[in-house]
Amino acid sequence: MTDLPKAYTPREVEGAIYERWLAADVFAPDGVGSTADPDLPPFTLIQPPPNVTGSLHLGHAQRTTVEDLMVRHARMRGHAALFLPGLDHAGIAAQFVLDRMLAKEGESRQTLGRERYLERMRTFSDSTRHVMLAQQRRVGASADWGRLRYTMDDGSAHAVRVAFERLYRDGLAYRTEALISWCPGCRTSVSDLEVVPTPETGTLWSVRYHLIDEATGRPVPASDPDATITVATTRPETILGDTAVAVHPDDERYRHLVGRRVRIPFVERDVPIIVDDVVDPAFGTGAVKITPAHDVDDHATGLRHGLPTPTILADDATIENTGTPFDGLDRYEARRRLVAELDARGDLAGERPHEMIVGRCQRSNDVLEPRLKTQWFIRTESMAARALDATRSGRTRILPERFERTWEHWLTNIRDWNVSRQLWWGHRIPAWYCPLGHVTVSAEADGPAACATCGRPAAELAQDPDVFDTWFSSGLWPFSTLGWPNDTDDLRRYYPTSVMETGYDIIFFWVARMMMLGLQLTDQAPFHTVYLSGLIRDPEGRKMSKTKGNVVDPLGVIDESGADALRFAVVHGAAAGQDQRFGPAKLENARNFANKLWNATRFVVGARPASIDPDGERQPPDPRQLGPAERWMLSRANATVDAVDRAMADYAFGEVTRLLYDAIWNEFCDWGLEFAKVRLADDELEEATREGTWWALVEALDTYLRLLHPVMPFVTEALWAAIPHRSSDPALLIVARWPGAGPRDAGLEAELDAVIGLVRGVRNARAEAGIEPRAWLPTEVSVPAPMGPTFEVLRPAIERLTHARPLQRRLTREALGDGAQPVAGGALSVISGELEAIVHRPTDTADPAAGAAERARLERELGEAERHLSAARARLANDEFMAKAPDAVVAGARARETALAEQVDRLRDRLDATGGTQGTGGTGGTGGETA
RNA sequence: GGGCGGUUAGCUCAGUCGGUCAGAGCGCCUCGCUUACACCGAGGAUGUCACUGGUUCGAGUCCAGUACCGCCCACCA
């Protein structure tokens, strides 16, 4: 046993504890401190790797907590529990951060060049990775740091190459020119998921295109009724890339123009008027300009009609290749000038504000441009089908279940995944091109020796300059971290993993891709359960973000309130998939709870009978030495074990903390300790009895510390060190065994409920009557014979808790009131279950008004009891209820009716007695009215 | 345009199988420094479980619809 400081100071407690865990090597499932049961299957949780260049925010802390609590729980249950930590290189996100830093130095990707840029990135990420890892340790992550992985380490690099090669070999990776979303700021393509549809008010311009006289090849004269056709656009600069004008096939207005040609202004290109179903005749003019290289719909239209696809936007979104003066201008400058020029020519038919959805870059917020690029794609159809099969068959379960519908919808409508990124930071795509255009994909670290098609030597091959979408390497995470593609011991032992915990916001980005790639490459679903956490929001319910300035730094919170409080706060009252607001109140509540636990333990430790060796082995409480309160306490602890087990099995972590908070605070501390105090201080009891009482406290406390450990690991570990252990216990709580649910004693629990109810009732009555709390008042209690022994053992505690002196026990209700002289002003009556008490008031504080107040109180209680009683009776009088409700429910209703009737009866009696002694004439009080 | 979630005490939220489910924390009010804890203890007040209808012996809970708030998905220039 170790001493506990008087005050609970999280900083001191937590710092020392983590070092002890590390020293004991208990985090690794195969570490020297592991106590795993070899007969149980392992439990594997691969951490969603946080961005290496990021900083830990509250969301990370919350996820780490949930992950860690699952791991700790599994570990205590005896499973070899692997919590594999990691970091993500976060391709585009990291580049975005570094680019901004470089910009402040007047540098850029271009000025540095690829090699120096990547060198800077490595230096930068090396400096931030330590911060990220240290933060996780502060939160208490019991991760196996020896297995720490990084999406840019050699193992991941190898996995990425092999995975891609296999996908290519199986026809699931292909290279093609396609319309992709391009971010001019990041200078890369982004996936559909990274496009943020943003509502904006733009402008819809109407532009006249001049028809061409086929005979002369010149524009038809303005006098001709069909001199022009008017099209509408929100992006006039794309006019420069137009290769057709389309109308709906059924549109009578334009039918006669179909097949004619119009001249695209500035580029002076003559393009056909075509028909296509994509056109909505009701929108705008019903005629649509077609820009196949810069619009999704137009691209599809272009493909259907075999239209040319001139690209007019450069990587930086300046105009290019148009042969017009607009070349070299930024897209928006070009737009302005182009509109002005059209207006000057008289070809601007109109402009009006237009509500529209603009695609913006998730990272840089730039407006994205659809454009053609030759990129690598992953064919998703077959993999998505397998992923759906895994969830439909139940091999993988998504929690909360409602997200399975989202999952279904997305995977059934999935499009091929563009994995090429024109970034530098990431895994280079292992594809080489020979001068003849042959493609060679190779998993070799040094690339292929020769072109796979024509045999040209490596020296003549050029590797694809692009890198993979960062989610490609993340998608391999559950198995690449365990050694895949090598057939390692870890992979065999820990794969498939048990639970994947992550935020619901990346279910598509990440979970779906892990699932697809895992099934494709390992033939197994990578995890059996997906636990989706909700998002942490600020106290106003807003998403936390740096730009809003409402981010909470978890380290600040930990410094102030402790990691245990933070962990408890983010778990307490939270439900899977449900966002939660986080504010100071929750945190304070959690810290208070830790403090409560600390002080309760300090009391137990300090209350040790001198006859017990502080350094001795823990003794099981001797049942013969236990009083009803101690047996009740142990029964309740068993009940809590049972309830917590059920909640854990349901992944209802908020329920777990609620159960423990209630059990520890409202049962163990409020009643268990209070009853025990009296008993431990009772010199009349035998030494063995006091010892038994203390061992019972230790037993219950030990159980609660174990149950609470996964959520509040530091404080429980520290406190556990202060209580005696069993010979079978390990040195540290983190590897101690999860408690088993022992027997309950329902009858005893009911008796204690009555006793506790009586104490509460007496306190309540005394408080309402305005009686000095410290005044000792003569109190009588009628106790049915079966409860006699319990009452007698608890008598000293009841005396103390109710300030009753003398406390006299009566065998029947009728006997109440005989033991002391009723005094003017009346006595207080309290009914709790089968117990009934009368508190006699001191003469000097009694007055007629007090009697009236007591009557009012009793009448209020009577009224309430009568309402409940009549409701219960109405139920029993309902034939259909009697006929159709289950027997157990009917029996319960009968019992309730009996109890309520009894209570009403007693309250009436007490009211009569109170009225009678008061002598104010109101002797017949039946509770109908309140004075 | 589809889909999902939320609506329960002044605030933030739990509420699993339909039957002691009207709950917690915070806040508020009244007391109290009783030898674990003032980061505490004792007591108290506060509800049309958003609305409408339905199923059921019985609905905060299941079904349908409505309203408001929020999120996700979606190629209308």
Side-chain angles (χ1 to χ4, degrees):
Chain A
M1 286 172 63
T2 57
D3 287 336
L4 288 178
K6 186 167 180 356
Y8 166 56
T9 47
R11 288 191 82 154
E12 286 168 31
V13 171
E14 294 174 3
I17 297 283
Y18 203 87
E19 293 308 315
R20 288 181 63 193
W21 288 330
L22 286 174
D25 193 15
V26 291
F27 292 165
D30 42 13
V32 299
S34 171
T35 57
D37 181 343
D39 295 334
L40 291 174
F43 176 92
T44 312
L45 192 150
I46 308 279
Q47 181 186 41
N51 291 355
V52 63
T53 58
S55 65
L56 196 76
H57 55 69
L58 215 47
H60 285 126
Q62 183 248 7
R63 308 243 167 94
T64 302
T65 298
V66 171
E67 292 153 16
D68 191 52
L69 88 83
M70 285 193 270
V71 170
R72 285 178 186 268
H73 175 246
R75 186 184 288 123
M76 291 178 79
R77 302 251 295 190
H79 298 273
L82 174 59
F83 185 9
L84 198 154
L87 291 165
D88 196 297
H89 69 282
I92 190 169
Q95 251 195 237
F96 187 70
V97 173
L98 181 62
D99 286 358
R100 275 203 308 202
M101 288 172 55
L102 290 175
K104 285 181 189 154
E105 302 167 15
E107 299 277 3
S108 73
R109 246 190 278 175
Q110 287 69 28
T111 61
L112 285 177
R114 192 160 188 153
E115 287 316 309
R116 283 174 61 207
Y117 182 83
L118 289 178
E119 193 48 47
R120 274 297 298 266
M121 183 63 89
R122 280 183 210 106
T123 313
F124 176 45
S125 53
D126 279 351
S127 69
T128 54
R129 66 181 283 145
H130 299 294
V131 177
M132 291 305 292
L133 297 176
Q135 286 171 327
Q136 299 219 38
R137 294 194 178 107
R138 287 292 304 281
V139 174
S142 63
D144 183 1
W145 299 109
R147 283 183 168 89
L148 176 74
R149 290 296 302 270
Y150 178 38
T151 56
M152 278 300 276
D153 62 24
D154 291 345
S156 263
H158 184 220
V160 164
R161 291 192 304 269
V162 171
F164 187 68
E165 187 191 39
R166 289 196 190 169
L167 293 171
Y168 180 70
R169 192 189 59 203
D170 295 339
L172 294 173
Y174 64 95
R175 186 170 184 250
T176 189
E177 184 183 66
L179 200 73
I180 47 82
S181 292
W182 181 265
C183 175
C186 304
R187 306 278 171 90
T188 181
S189 58
V190 297
S191 78
D192 298 335
L193 285 173
E194 292 161 305
V195 179
V196 182
T198 316
E200 281 175 25
T201 305
T203 305
L204 186 66
W205 286 276
S206 300
V207 179
R208 292 188 198 95
Y209 282 3
H210 293 265
L211 277 89
I212 298 301
D213 183 330
E214 293 297 329
T216 65
R218 295 163 181 271
V220 299
S223 55
D224 191 304
D226 288 327
T228 61
I229 184 167
T230 305
V231 297
T233 180
T234 55
R235 294 184 296 156
E237 68 279 11
T238 61
I239 286 172
L240 303 171
D242 281 356
T243 55
V245 168
V247 297
H248 194 269
D250 301 333
D251 196 334
E252 296 298 336
R253 294 171 294 175
Y254 300 115
R255 177 157 290 175
H256 63 292
L257 297 179
V258 172
R260 297 277 303 273
R261 300 177 77 80
V262 297
R263 180 155 297 170
I264 304 300
F266 312 115
V267 291
E268 307 300 325
R269 180 165 54 227
D270 295 347
V271 305
I273 295 175
I274 59 174
V275 294
D276 198 289
D277 288 330
V278 77
V279 179
D280 174 4
F283 186 90
T285 60
V288 184
K289 58 189 278 309
I290 301 296
T291 321
H294 296 288
D295 184 273
V296 177
D297 279 339
D298 293 3
H299 181 66
T301 307
L303 284 178
R304 283 193 292 273
H305 297 270
L307 299 173
T309 57
T311 290
I312 60 147
L313 280 172
D315 286 356
D316 59 356
T318 55
I319 305 295
E320 68 172 7
N321 298 332
T322 68
T324 68
F326 302 110
D327 278 1
L329 293 180
D330 175 76
R331 51 185 163 166
Y332 298 119
E333 179 61 18
R335 178 180 299 177
R336 272 189 296 277
R337 294 201 193 178
L338 203 140
V339 167
E341 181 66 21
L342 285 171
D343 196 20
R345 294 180 180 195
D347 287 337
L348 191 63
E351 67 175 78
R352 60 175 173 85
H354 181 61
E355 298 304 322
M356 56 186 199
I357 306 288
V358 172
R360 285 183 176 271
C361 175
Q362 184 190 49
R363 195 59 51 188
S364 70
N365 202 39
D366 283 302
V367 173
L368 298 168
E369 293 291 344
R371 61 181 300 211
L372 287 170
K373 279 272 178 184
T374 299
Q375 308 262 289
W376 282 96
F377 287 82
I378 304 294
R379 221 178 285 283
T380 50
E381 193 180 353
S382 63
M383 290 194 285
R386 292 183 73 175
L388 284 170
D389 181 56
T391 49
R392 286 173 185 164
S393 68
R395 275 176 292 145
T396 297
R397 192 161 60 122
I398 297 178
L399 297 175
E401 279 176 16
R402 66 172 184 274
F403 279 98
E404 285 193 19
R405 299 187 61 166
T406 313
W407 172 263
E408 285 271 338
H409 182 258
W410 193 75
L411 280 171
T412 46
N413 295 292
I414 192 170
R415 282 182 286 170
D416 283 355
W417 174 18
N418 169 212
V419 291
S420 290
R421 291 293 177 277
Q422 290 66 48
L423 303 170
W424 289 350
W425 180 232
H427 293 289
R428 193 93 172 256
I429 293 176
W432 282 260
Y433 312 114
C434 83
L436 298 178
H438 301 137
V439 176
T440 305
V441 171
S442 168
E444 294 301 316
D446 300 327
C451 174
T453 308
C454 65
R456 286 187 181 243
E460 294 185 32
L461 306 182
Q463 187 176 4
D464 194 301
D466 292 348
V467 301
F468 281 108
D469 178 1
T470 196
W471 297 105
F472 187 76
S473 46
S474 310
L476 311 173
W477 191 242
F479 40 99
S480 69
T481 45
L482 292 169
W484 188 92
N486 300 324
D487 184 23
T488 62
D489 290 344
D490 272 2
L491 191 65
R492 279 196 299 269
R493 182 159 167 72
Y494 299 111
Y495 188 82
T497 70
S498 308
V499 179
M500 171 52 63
E501 186 280 345
T502 192
Y504 66 76
D505 53 336
I506 56 174
I507 183 169
F508 308 132
F509 281 103
W510 195 38
V511 181
R513 277 142 181 191
M514 283 190 287
M515 195 72 139
M516 292 193 292
L517 291 172
L519 285 161
Q520 179 64 33
L521 297 166
T522 71
D523 263 326
Q524 285 178 293
F527 20 74
H528 69 60
T529 298
V530 177
Y531 178 91
L532 297 170
S533 288
L535 271 34
I536 300 267
R537 297 177 177 278
D538 76 2
E540 277 73 49
R542 297 171 306 176
K543 217 166 170 172
M544 288 190 181
S545 77
K546 278 179 199 151
T547 48
K548 287 200 196 89
N550 59 353
V551 287
V552 174
D553 173 17
L555 291 189
V557 172
I558 291 171
D559 282 342
E560 195 152 322
S561 307
D564 288 314
L566 174 61
R567 292 170 63 115
F568 188 89
V570 295
V571 172
H572 195 48
Q578 209 58 53
D579 292 355
Q580 57 171 322
R581 299 182 191 200
F582 186 89
K586 267 185 185 170
L587 192 65
E588 213 167 290
N589 180 235
R591 188 212 41 196
N592 292 352
F593 180 51
N595 185 251
K596 184 78 179 177
L597 187 68
W598 180 273
N599 283 297
T601 306
R602 223 161 48 80
F603 169 76
V604 172
V605 170
R608 174 180 48 81
S611 54
I612 294 175
D613 175 5
D615 298 314
E617 199 173 289
R618 191 163 120 215
Q619 305 296 319
D622 180 349
R624 292 164 306 176
Q625 302 298 342
L626 299 183
E630 290 70 43
R631 286 184 285 122
W632 168 83
M633 186 168 63
L634 295 176
S635 182
R636 290 306 306 156
N638 287 333
T640 308
V641 172
D642 193 49
V644 167
D645 276 344
R646 273 180 280 128
M648 282 299 303
D650 290 343
Y651 295 84
F653 307 127
E655 176 73 0
V656 169
T657 55
R658 193 189 64 74
L659 287 164
L660 289 172
Y661 186 97
D662 285 352
I664 291 171
W665 202 311
N666 303 126
E667 291 181 359
F668 181 68
C669 291
D670 286 356
W671 300 102
L673 294 188
E674 293 307 319
F675 280 123
K677 263 181 198 172
V678 178
R679 203 165 153 91
L680 286 167
D682 191 341
D683 294 337
E684 314 224 328
L685 292 172
E686 287 181 29
E687 194 171 73
T689 302
R690 289 201 302 274
E691 288 183 3
T693 300
W694 191 72
W695 286 121
L697 285 179
V698 171
E699 182 79 15
L701 179 59
D702 174 89
T703 298
Y704 289 129
L705 290 175
R706 287 174 199 247
L707 292 178
L708 197 54
H709 180 262
V711 181
M712 305 182 100
F714 295 104
V715 70
T716 50
E717 184 75 80
L719 295 175
W720 196 68
I723 62 173
H725 299 163
R726 300 188 193 102
S727 59
S728 59
D729 280 327
L732 292 169
L733 177 58
I734 186 175
V735 282
R737 277 295 177 270
W738 188 254
R744 301 272 303 273
D745 186 338
L748 181 68
E749 288 191 25
E751 287 188 357
L752 263 289
D753 278 351
V755 170
I756 288 170
L758 185 80
V759 172
R760 283 213 173 105
V762 170
R763 285 170 168 174
N764 173 340
R766 288 174 51 128
E768 282 204 34
I771 290 171
E772 179 77 2
R774 51 178 62 198
W776 291 90
L777 298 184
T779 303
E780 296 172 69
V781 183
S782 76
V783 181
M787 268 190 75
T790 292
F791 182 85
E792 286 307 326
V793 177
L794 296 178
R795 168 189 287 278
I798 296 169
E799 283 175 358
R800 173 172 150 155
L801 296 174
T802 58
H803 266 252
R805 187 180 294 159
L807 176 65
Q808 287 176 302
R809 174 177 159 216
R810 306 293 179 209
L811 293 177
T812 62
R813 295 164 49 201
E814 291 71 27
L816 285 174
D818 292 341
Q821 281 298 320
V823 293
L828 307 173
S829 299
V830 173
I831 294 164
S832 169
E834 297 191 274
L835 301 176
E836 186 166 342
I838 289 185
V839 179
H840 295 281
R841 314 183 67 146
T843 317
D844 56 350
T845 65
D847 64 72
E854 170 67 0
R855 277 179 56 82
R857 189 180 67 85
L858 288 174
E859 280 171 354
R860 204 176 60 225
E861 284 183 15
L862 178 61
E864 195 174 340
E866 281 176 328
R867 273 196 307 280
H868 285 134
L869 179 61
S870 60
R873 285 191 169 145
R875 219 164 146 206
L876 290 170
N878 183 333
D879 291 341
E880 286 195 285
F881 171 74
M882 299 303 284
K884 294 182 181 174
D887 292 345
V889 173
V890 174
R894 281 221 175 85
R896 182 166 159 77
E897 192 263 354
T898 309
L900 283 168
E902 171 84 4
Q903 195 186 351
V904 164
D905 208 26
R906 291 186 185 192
L907 282 167
R908 285 210 178 107
D909 286 354
R910 292 323 310 168
L911 210 43
D912 286 348
T914 306
T917 54
Q918 192 182 356
T920 54
T923 52
T926 54
E929 289 167 21
T930 302

